[in-house]
Amino acid sequence: MTHEEKKKLIVPNHRDVSIRRQCELIDISRGSLSYVPLVNPEDERIKGLIDRIYTDCPFYGSRRMRAELAQSHETSICRDHVRRLMEEMGIEAVYPRKKKGLSQGDPVHQKYPYLLRGLDIVRPNQVWGSDITYVKLERGFAYLMAILDWFSRYVVAWKVSPTLETDFCIEALTDAFEIATPDIWNTDQGVQFTSRDLTAFVLQHDVKISMDGRGRCMDNIFTERLWRTIKYENIFLHSYRSVDEARTGIGAYLDFYNNKRIHSSLNYATPTLIHHQH
């Protein structure tokens, strides 16, 4: 259980157990309840640059990221500093190895095989893909989770959250299952997607679970393309000040993405048209 999950167990006005005693019982410090991490403006600026570079070049590790920052953005910092910022953002170079950050797995959680190799995707709701990406705010950051229909590129549901806890993924799936259910749901092996609560919720709807090979983001290529589109056409064009502001702005963009934005890969139709005409 994460520190944030433990903090949610605290009952502020419990009749019999003081807050200090509750903290002792769940093994967290009393001071951490009111701790607000300081935001370094320069680090936040550099994170924004790293986010843009990584969106174009997800295969860049800390060494090449450092060089790109210096050459293209006149920002010189040491490699350890770059590595630390990338870890805080939950990103690292894409190649076959154990991943950290947003895609960090839990060795206790069950992993599922990749079911899409050689599969012809010929209709809506045959395969949905999901992933989580980092959203830069003016101070700090948030996380966006989306559920994408692979055939039509239609974003079935999405959620923005200030934390990486599993609850917001379940909330997004709840919204999605009110619209339809896919044959297969594909994700990476991140701890959010392998959690028992979430996988049980998916299996209850008779949906098969497929998971990418470890460190292979290209198994979920359609969702990776969605992140690039959202970032360049919305997130990078705005400076969202808060999670609520990001939620509103991204929601408006995704409505445009589904219903008005034409896609060359769909013969210049919209995702909504393709999703609902089949």
Side-chain angles (χ1 to χ4, degrees):
M1 183 180 295
T2 67
H3 186 272
E4 290 300 317
E5 289 172 332
K6 288 181 178 181
K7 285 168 65 175
K8 287 186 175 182
L9 299 176
I10 296 294
V11 180
N13 298 309
H14 198 285
R15 293 172 55 186
D16 303 314
V17 185
S18 68
I19 289 181
R20 183 174 297 279
R21 180 55 180 158
Q22 290 180 59
C23 290
E24 292 174 353
L25 291 172
I26 60 176
D27 193 28
I28 65 173
S29 69
R30 174 65 179 84
S32 68
L33 294 182
S34 56
Y35 171 71
V36 178
L38 296 176
V39 175
N40 183 317
E42 180 62 9
D43 277 359
E44 293 304 299
R45 183 187 72 83
I46 297 171
K47 283 181 179 180
L49 297 175
I50 290 173
D51 192 19
R52 285 177 177 268
I53 296 169
Y54 186 80
T55 298
D56 285 334
C57 305
F59 44 85
Y60 273 16
S62 59
R63 191 187 306 275
R64 285 196 283 183
M65 187 68 72
R66 175 178 179 269
E68 184 71 19
L69 285 168
Q71 293 173 13
S72 301
H73 301 281
E74 298 181 347
T75 299
S76 297
I77 59 175
C78 70
R79 187 183 174 195
D80 285 344
H81 193 174
V82 174
R83 185 185 294 114
R84 176 175 64 79
L85 295 180
M86 290 178 70
E87 288 178 352
E88 289 178 6
M89 295 169 67
I91 60 175
E92 68 173 300
V94 174
Y95 55 93
R97 54 174 276 183
K98 185 175 180 180
K99 298 184 72 180
K100 300 178 183 179
L102 300 188
S103 297
Q104 185 176 8
D106 186 321
V108 178
H109 290 178
Q110 180 178 350
K111 309 302 188 296
Y112 291 79
Y114 185 65
L115 302 178
L116 307 182
R117 188 166 291 104
L119 178 68
D120 290 329
I121 300 173
V122 297
R123 56 180 173 80
N125 302 320
Q126 181 182 0
V127 176
W128 288 356
S130 289
D131 199 2
I132 301 171
T133 194
Y134 164 98
V135 178
K136 179 74 173 62
L137 305 177
E138 279 192 4
R139 295 179 62 84
F141 48 90
Y143 300 96
L144 168 64
M145 185 268 200
I147 300 167
L148 182 74
D149 177 71
W150 277 22
F151 179 80
S152 64
R153 313 295 196 271
Y154 182 79
V155 179
V156 186
W158 59 276
K159 290 289 180 182
V160 172
S161 171
T163 69
L164 273 171
E165 294 174 9
T166 303
D167 289 352
F168 87 112
C169 299
I170 295 177
E171 291 171 4
L173 278 166
T174 300
D175 291 346
F177 289 153
E178 290 179 356
I179 298 172
T181 53
D183 296 339
I184 300 171
W185 182 55
N186 188 76
T187 70
D188 63 23
Q189 297 183 20
V191 64
Q192 294 80 21
F193 296 130
T194 60
S195 74
R196 293 186 182 91
D197 289 344
L198 189 145
T199 54
F201 179 74
V202 174
L203 294 173
Q204 286 172 4
H205 288 79
D206 296 322
V207 175
K208 296 178 182 177
I209 298 174
S210 169
M211 291 186 175
D212 304 340
R214 188 182 298 276
R216 292 178 54 184
C217 80
M218 304 312 285
D219 287 346
N220 208 353
I221 185 62
F222 295 124
T223 315
E224 294 295 328
R225 289 173 180 169
L226 172 67
W227 293 154
R228 178 180 172 84
T229 300
I230 291 174
K231 290 196 173 186
Y232 273 104
E233 296 185 5
N234 181 262
I235 294 172
F236 290 162
L237 299 179
H238 299 81
S239 183
Y240 291 126
R241 291 172 294 181
S242 66
V243 174
D244 287 341
E245 190 173 287
R247 189 177 290 123
T248 299
I250 291 170
Y253 174 78
L254 288 175
D255 180 68
F256 161 78
Y257 175 93
N258 275 341
N259 298 298
K260 295 181 179 180
R261 186 186 187 278
I262 57 176
H263 293 241
S264 58
S265 60
L266 301 177
N267 198 24
Y268 296 99
T270 64
T272 296
L273 180 63
I274 299 299
H275 192 75
H276 294 298
Q277 76 177 4
H278 283 74

